[in-house]
Amino acid sequence: MLYAIMSEDVDDSLAKRQSARPAHLKRLQDLQDEGRLIIAGPHPAIDCNTPGDAGFSGSLVIAKFTDLQQAKDWADIDPYVSAGVYSNVLVKPFKQIFPQ
């Protein structure tokens, strides 16, 4: 089943994001290599693809997991969590309708 992992950043998270980014991206690459990643990316803090010093306000990951607990367990050990980037992480089941 698919699960949406929606994360909100703490204020001024850019430096923390940058330091933990390689490990964070490695985990996402692993999901992609396993054929489980649907989409992933950050939410720019301003209306721009390259927000510069404004940074990001959170992230979204949609991926396949066995069940809700597995998705939560995966999200709990994200490097952005341990680096203090995220203030809140919400994991919910997701039903994809489009694209088919």
Side-chain angles (χ1 to χ4, degrees), residues 33-48:
D33 292 348
E34 295 166 6
R36 297 171 46 203
L37 183 63
I38 305 304
I39 194 167
H43 301 286
I46 59 174
D47 191 13
C48 177

Side-chain angles (χ1 to χ4, degrees), residues 13-55:
S13 63
L14 188 57
K16 292 176 182 179
R17 271 184 170 269
Q18 290 170 335
S19 68
R21 188 170 191 261
H24 173 77
L25 292 180
K26 168 73 170 87
R27 295 182 78 232
L28 292 171
Q29 184 65 55
D30 290 346
L31 280 180
Q32 182 171 313
D33 292 348
E34 295 166 6
R36 297 171 46 203
L37 183 63
I38 305 304
I39 194 167
H43 301 286
I46 59 174
D47 191 13
C48 177
N49 277 332
T50 54
D53 290 340

Side-chain angles (χ1 to χ4, degrees), residues 57-73:
S57 63
S59 300
L60 171 66
V61 174
I62 299 177
K64 296 176 188 174
F65 292 94
T66 304
D67 57 31
L68 181 59
Q69 190 59 56
Q70 183 191 40
K72 286 180 177 182
D73 291 345

Side-chain angles (χ1 to χ4, degrees), residues 46-98:
I46 59 174
D47 191 13
C48 177
N49 277 332
T50 54
D53 290 340
F56 300 91
S57 63
S59 300
L60 171 66
V61 174
I62 299 177
K64 296 176 188 174
F65 292 94
T66 304
D67 57 31
L68 181 59
Q69 190 59 56
Q70 183 191 40
K72 286 180 177 182
D73 291 345
W74 186 89
D76 285 347
I77 59 170
D78 191 286
Y80 281 178
V81 171
S82 57
V85 172
Y86 294 148
S87 63
N88 184 47
V89 178
L90 179 62
V91 181
K92 297 173 74 169
F94 180 81
K95 181 177 178 180
Q96 182 176 350
I97 303 298
F98 290 101

